[in-house]
Amino acid sequence: MAIDPHASPSSRTDPTLAAMKAGFDDDLFVEGADWETVVDAVEDETLTVNMGPQHPSTHGVLRLVLELDGETVTHLRPIVGYLHTGIEKNAEFRTWVQGTTFFTRMDYLAPLFNEAAFSLGVEKLLGIEVPERAQAVRVILMEFNRIASHLVWLATGGMELGSTTVMEFGFREREHILDLFESQSGLRMNHAYIRPGGIAQDTTDDFEARCEALLTLLTERLYDYEDLLTKNPIWNHRLRDVGHITAERCYALGVTGPLLRAAGVPWDLRKAEPYCGYEQYDFEVPTETAGDCYARFLVRLEEMRQSMRIIRQALDTLPGGPVMVADKRIAWPSQQSLGTDGIGNDPAYIRHIMGESMEALINHFKLVTQGFTVPAGQVYSPVESPRGELGYAITSAGTNKPYRVHVREPSFVNLQAANEMTRDHLVADVIVVVASLDPVMGGVDR
Amino acid sequence: MTTLPAPGRGLSGDARSLDDLAARLTDRFGDVTTDLAHGELTVHVAPEQLVAVLTFCRDDEELGCELLADLSGVHWPAGDHVVDRQPSTTGWPEYRIARDEGVIEVLYILRSVSRNHWLRISVGTPDDEPRLPSVTGVYETANFHEREVYDFFGVVFDGHPDLTRILMPDDWLGHPHRKDYPLGGVDIPYKHEKFIPPPDERDLREVVD
């Protein structure tokens, strides 16, 4: 029999395939055939598809195992852990101050929130009160960070729906905010700027002017996003009535942050348990009732406005004074200011320890390498991160290193809702839903 | 759950004092102990009470904890536990913990959105055979958290629908957040010019038994 070169390979015609198949169960093999015959052969018609771990719309390395009936999702199972770096374990071998350099790398779109939540927990254990100026600077930078994080959400979410303009807009404005962070901390991301006891160094002289300029710019640009998207028919069609979740289900699944607020609950830790002096600022907690992706978009957009309101008030009332606690057992004795090289410097102090006082040098060395000890105890310190409740459960055994730090990561918890939010949706909607969850895999996998 | 807190109630500040919450729990469950530190309430319960206590916390009018905010583990090994490597300035930490038996402490943070308070439930389980009832039937969100605690500490949660590793690879040996998990068993490449196998070819079975 002449072999037809255009025919599908089959063990009937191909001796190599027939040899491979010999001795095995028939069910193990699928050979080329019409789709109808393949489908008829299996009883269960659902198809299991791996989406990710490398997929442009999964915000990192998230793997979604989709059960598909045709093009409809019947079940979604998120598989995480590809970015696990053992930050919590690492922190057990680092001093309390060094901890901030690790935790800032978890949710890399909201690094300042990680630093702040950890520092607040350590401060609670130490029983110290941070100077007012440090608190206000923390608030200003955290709110800018919230805007930056929401901008990345808007940019990546928009790009996944095919809107490259939104992507350009989001990343363009975010870069201005990162420039501000760089001018204050020396780094665009992963700052380790907020530390137990205060902040690493005082702000630069042009800090307020920079913030003002940035606020003016952002106020103007936020209207652009609204003009571009709020009434955009494609944006509306893709987001409305997609990924619905009710407040009850949010509670059951532990979902917090913009998702819970878009389901109608005005829950915000900045209001409920004010930290860093949030009680002084007048702002609103935006809510929507629809609980779909479009509602989340509106909530996040309004949150950016409210963040700017907070920054405006914090700038107007920015107090002077120290930015680190006075306790010399905790704070470094140097009064650093940021040099042109992006590194904190204090020439007068360096002259003192290098040229005048050996004891001061020893003290500084011990404080930097050994760190300070923290009384034994357990605390839980939550803050409202752009993605929801970010909590640090810190256990100290009374040494210079944490005994155990566990991080309640909102991305990790919120991801559990993905299955419910995508059920009976099309595959294309999975991308919208995952974008609206805004998971950051660095935070999920830690 | 039948009652949904009305929007806005979480912000109205009708919070109960932590003493009231502690009293409410000790009234209902006689043998729980409570302690207040750093302005936080911790309730110590026995493993067999765990599900009942959490269900009560969720359904009770006064407590009204709708959210299981966090679930984490802490390992307290037995003995006068001092990790004996470089107890100097940098490097290995030096703990002084004297305990007769090793315990894995699992901490549940329960949060009430409607009442605006939170409390911590602490439950211990022996570290040689850690086993606890799953609370996924009370709070669905415990699913991922319990998988994480299983992954890191080896605590088996009875009744969990899908207790598999979550952050570590499926074929990983041992539970890395336990204090007795061997660390530093792999030679450092620049020492003694030894051949170091790549990570996926290292045999951890020798160190994790």
Side-chain angles (χ1 to χ4, degrees):
Chain A
M1 189 182 93
I3 293 174
D4 175 8
H6 300 293
S8 314
S10 159
S11 56
R12 286 193 304 277
T13 54
D14 188 335
T16 327
L17 275 179
M20 279 168 67
K21 215 175 147 180
F24 286 102
D25 200 336
D26 269 354
D27 293 349
L28 287 172
F29 291 87
V30 175
E31 293 179 358
D34 281 344
W35 178 244
E36 294 298 324
T37 42
V38 174
V39 168
D40 285 344
V42 283
E43 285 169 23
D44 187 4
E45 282 193 32
T46 61
L47 193 68
T48 308
V49 174
N50 258 319
M51 187 170 151
Q54 293 293 347
H55 190 278
S57 82
T58 52
H59 294 237
V61 274
L62 168 66
R63 179 173 154 214
L64 302 168
V65 179
L66 305 174
E67 288 276 336
L68 301 178
D69 181 8
E71 218 182 318
T72 312
V73 181
T74 55
H75 191 264
L76 177 150
R77 183 182 159 87
I79 296 185
V80 299
Y82 294 96
L83 221 55
H84 179 59
T85 43
I87 288 177
E88 292 172 5
K89 184 78 176 176
N90 257 318
E92 292 170 14
F93 301 90
R94 303 287 186 279
T95 63
W96 293 93
V97 173
Q98 285 172 328
T100 49
T101 55
F102 276 77
F103 296 123
T104 189
R105 282 162 169 77
M106 292 203 308
D107 183 345
Y108 44 79
L109 294 184
L112 288 164
F113 290 90
N114 288 290
E115 296 166 19
F118 175 68
S119 300
L120 287 166
V122 179
E123 285 152 13
K124 209 185 212 180
L125 276 168
L126 287 166
I128 54 172
E129 194 68 35
V130 173
E132 277 183 7
R133 183 175 171 83
Q135 293 198 0
V137 174
R138 281 180 182 186
V139 166
I140 293 170
L141 292 181
M142 274 199 285
E143 291 309 320
F144 270 127
N145 200 172
R146 188 186 310 278
I147 298 172
S149 175
H150 282 350
L151 284 173
V152 174
W153 158 78
L154 192 72
T156 53
M159 188 180 66
E160 283 152 20
L161 299 187
S163 170
T164 44
T165 315
V166 179
M167 196 269 284
E168 297 284 352
F169 277 20
F171 278 113
R172 182 185 64 189
E173 267 73 87
R174 172 179 179 254
E175 207 57 37
H176 290 296
I177 299 179
L178 296 188
D179 283 346
L180 172 76
F181 291 165
E182 189 178 1
S183 74
Q184 301 310 311
S185 71
L187 294 161
R188 290 167 74 245
M189 298 161 83
N190 314 129
H191 318 281
Y193 184 64
I194 299 176
R195 293 182 185 176
I199 52 178
Q201 63 248 340
D202 204 348
T203 55
T204 54
D205 294 336
D206 61 349
F207 174 63
E208 284 170 65
R210 271 175 176 274
C211 291
E212 295 284 353
L214 201 47
L215 277 184
T216 316
L217 178 88
L218 286 170
T219 315
E220 192 184 301
R221 296 278 166 87
L222 265 185
Y223 286 114
D224 290 353
Y225 312 141
E226 216 161 20
D227 290 346
L228 184 67
L229 294 172
T230 313
K231 294 218 170 72
N232 183 321
I234 301 172
W235 190 255
N236 271 269
H237 279 133
R238 292 298 302 273
L239 266 66
R240 272 190 203 274
D241 299 319
V242 169
H244 190 267
I245 190 163
T246 61
E248 285 97 332
R249 293 304 298 156
C250 282
Y251 287 139
L253 292 164
V255 173
T256 49
L259 283 90
L260 184 60
R261 291 193 279 276
V265 185
W267 176 251
D268 191 319
L269 288 166
R270 290 175 293 175
K271 286 275 190 196
E273 285 180 18
Y275 49 91
C276 291
Y278 268 109
E279 66 277 4
Q280 313 161 31
Y281 308 118
D282 181 29
F283 66 101
E284 274 151 37
V285 179
T287 54
E288 290 287 327
T289 47
D292 58 7
C293 291
Y294 190 74
R296 281 167 223 143
F297 158 70
L298 293 178
V299 164
R300 289 199 173 101
L301 209 57
E302 185 57 32
E303 272 183 34
M304 290 197 248
R305 286 233 163 73
Q306 296 298 332
S307 290
M308 290 201 279
R309 242 176 106 182
I310 297 170
I311 297 167
R312 162 71 50 211
Q313 293 170 51
L315 279 176
D316 289 346
T317 58
L318 187 66
V323 292
M324 199 69 187
V325 285
D327 192 337
K328 288 296 175 209
R329 287 169 301 175
I330 294 165
W332 289 359
S334 59
Q335 302 299 317
Q336 293 185 338
S337 57
L338 200 66
T340 47
D341 52 357
I343 298 169
N345 286 314
D346 185 353
Y349 177 72
I350 291 169
R351 205 173 307 123
H352 175 59
I353 57 169
M354 298 307 285
E356 295 163 16
S357 171
M358 188 66 189
E359 282 70 31
L361 178 64
I362 294 169
N363 176 48
H364 190 109
F365 179 75
K366 293 282 270 184
L367 201 53
V368 172
T369 54
Q370 207 166 16
F372 48 84
T373 56
V374 170
Q378 280 178 330
V379 289
Y380 177 69
S381 115
V383 300
E384 187 70 32
S385 94
R387 276 159 272 282
E389 177 175 343
L390 173 70
Y392 276 65
I394 304 171
T395 305
S396 170
T399 64
N400 62 339
K401 299 182 176 92
Y403 186 74
R404 162 97 172 114
V405 183
H406 175 261
V407 187
R408 189 256 190 227
E409 244 297 328
S411 307
F412 178 74
V413 183
N414 291 359
L415 207 52
Q416 291 189 84
N419 176 30
E420 213 161 286
M421 285 159 66
T422 52
R423 196 173 297 150
D424 298 330
H425 282 35
L426 297 180
V427 180
D429 293 334
V430 172
I431 289 155
V432 182
V433 168
V434 172
S436 84
L437 278 168
D438 193 18
V440 172
M441 298 318 288
V444 173
D445 294 340
R446 287 163 280 151
Chain B
M1 230 186 304
T2 49
T3 50
L4 169 68
R9 271 189 72 192
L11 311 175
S12 64
D14 57 342
R16 301 290 176 275
S17 82
L18 293 178
D19 291 323
D20 290 350
L21 299 181
R24 184 125 186 116
L25 274 162
T26 39
D27 284 352
R28 175 71 178 73
F29 302 94
D31 40 357
V32 301
T33 53
T34 59
D35 76 68
L36 266 169
H38 305 291
E40 299 178 357
L41 171 67
T42 308
V43 184
H44 301 271
V45 306
E48 50 271 21
Q49 285 179 310
L50 180 66
V51 174
V53 170
L54 260 66
T55 312
F56 179 72
C57 288
R58 184 192 67 179
D59 296 339
D60 183 60
E61 191 62 27
E62 292 286 307
L63 291 160
C65 298
E66 304 92 1
L67 270 176
L68 175 68
D70 188 24
L71 198 165
S72 62
V74 184
H75 184 204
W76 302 95
D80 185 10
H81 185 67
V82 179
V83 185
D84 57 351
R85 293 192 201 200
Q86 307 173 20
S88 55
T89 50
T90 55
W92 238 254
E94 189 180 6
Y95 306 120
R96 303 225 172 269
I97 297 148
R99 270 176 181 263
D100 294 336
E101 24 190 76
V103 168
I104 290 176
E105 187 185 17
V106 180
L107 304 164
Y108 301 76
I109 307 279
L110 300 181
R111 182 184 282 288
S112 172
V113 171
S114 53
R115 305 274 179 204
N116 191 9
H117 59 235
W118 65 266
L119 57 105
R120 179 191 289 118
I121 307 279
S122 162
V123 57
T125 176
D127 69 349
D128 49 352
E129 206 193 332
R131 191 169 273 274
L132 282 174
S134 169
V135 297
T136 45
V138 189
Y139 295 102
E140 275 178 60
T141 181
N143 189 321
F144 268 26
H145 289 300
E146 285 181 353
R147 280 176 67 189
E148 188 190 318
V149 174
Y150 163 72
D151 195 353
F152 285 163
F153 296 91
V155 180
V156 176
F157 290 93
D158 291 318
H160 190 284
D162 166 36
L163 195 65
T164 52
R165 287 189 183 270
I166 187 164
L167 293 181
M168 302 302 287
D170 290 339
D171 54 353
W172 194 263
L173 290 164
H175 301 282
H177 269 270
R178 293 171 62 111
K179 297 285 178 189
D180 53 10
Y181 182 80
L183 292 172
V186 177
D187 292 305
I188 303 163
Y190 49 76
K191 254 186 170 178
H192 314 308
E193 298 173 351
K194 266 187 185 170
F195 170 72
I196 311 296
D200 55 337
E201 287 171 23
R202 286 174 198 159
D203 192 6
L204 272 175
R205 252 163 298 218
E206 290 167 13
V207 279
V208 184
D209 101 319

